[in-house]
Amino acid sequence: MHKGGRDLYDWLDHVWSWADEIVVGDDRGSLKDKDITHMLQWWGAKVVPCDMSIDYSVGRNQILKYCTGDVIVQLDYDERIQQISSIIRMVLLPPQAWMFSIDNLQKQGAAVVSETIRIFKNDKKVTYWGRLHETIDDYVKKERWTVSASPVKITHYGYLNQDSKTAWNKMQKYIDINLA
């Protein structure tokens, strides 16, 4: 959440009405900013420390420890679910995990589409793997979970908000993580 700003506020507005619990990972000490702290508390979010400096899966696994609900919906602050009513129904169905198509919106035009599991049963043993673009795929395969395709998409807005310098710095960080 270290750079969430207005997007973090919009994200909270998006999730508060349907999430039973909101757990936000703080990987850069943003809690020193009293406005952010007050805003998160007002929305009822639980803010927990995490470290995503060199391995994003480490940070995600740290956040998972604080999740107490039966089902986890992993949604970054620059992402929105397109049809919330479907999510509420999906968590009542038998699959242990749901694969989402994500439209990664681009300044240059057409979205780049990716897929990943974003809803899954919280059995307290789930672990993310992968330093970058972390997933729970290995755990899902090992446990032989049923995975269904989500009927709704997630929209990722993060690339729209980046200037060329920020995008360059992000890609350089990704190269460093991949080299590690």
Side-chain angles (χ1 to χ4, degrees):
M1 67 172 234
H2 76 280
K3 59 186 176 186
R6 176 70 188 180
D7 287 338
L8 183 59
Y9 174 83
D10 291 344
W11 178 85
L12 284 164
D13 190 46
H14 176 68
V15 302
W16 79 271
S17 65
W18 54 267
D20 293 329
E21 175 182 57
I22 301 171
V23 181
V24 178
D26 180 13
D27 69 331
R28 305 279 168 88
S30 295
L31 291 180
K32 293 175 186 167
D33 184 324
K34 300 257 188 262
D35 291 337
I36 292 175
T37 302
H38 179 72
M39 176 185 63
L40 290 165
Q41 290 171 342
W42 190 85
W43 287 93
K46 184 187 318 181
V47 181
V48 300
C50 66
D51 180 7
M52 294 195 175
S53 57
I54 347 175
D55 185 333
Y56 288 6
S57 64
V58 168
R60 296 257 187 237
N61 289 327
Q62 290 167 338
I63 295 167
L64 280 178
K65 293 176 187 175
Y66 293 91
C67 297
T68 62
D70 295 333
V71 176
I72 293 174
V73 178
Q74 187 239 311
L75 192 66
D76 291 349
Y77 76 89
D78 56 0
E79 297 174 335
R80 305 294 179 270
I81 295 173
Q82 293 180 1
Q83 293 173 315
I84 300 304
S85 59
S86 296
I87 300 301
I88 294 166
R89 291 177 186 226
M90 288 164 55
V91 300
L92 299 174
L93 296 173
Q96 290 102 340
W98 290 86
M99 179 76 67
F100 280 78
S101 177
I102 301 173
D103 288 337
N104 298 284
L105 303 183
Q106 307 292 310
K107 284 183 179 181
Q108 299 81 7
V112 174
V113 179
S114 59
E115 288 187 325
T116 190
I117 294 171
R118 288 301 188 86
I119 292 183
F120 53 93
K121 181 175 74 171
N122 182 10
D123 73 359
K124 297 298 183 191
K125 296 178 279 180
V126 172
T127 55
Y128 283 92
W129 71 274
R131 291 177 185 260
L132 189 60
H133 301 114
E134 62 290 345
T135 70
I136 63 165
D137 295 1
D138 282 359
Y139 183 82
V140 167
K141 288 177 197 169
K142 182 182 91 176
E143 295 298 317
R144 304 178 86 134
W145 275 9
T146 302
V147 179
S148 287
S150 170
V152 298
K153 290 184 174 186
I154 292 174
T155 303
H156 175 230
Y157 295 93
Y159 297 114
L160 295 178
N161 301 329
Q162 293 179 350
D163 58 30
S164 58
K165 181 180 179 186
T166 303
W168 171 261
N169 290 339
K170 181 178 183 175
M171 292 303 118
Q172 294 307 305
K173 181 177 180 174
Y174 282 7
I175 288 170
D176 291 344
I177 291 171
N178 280 320
L179 289 173

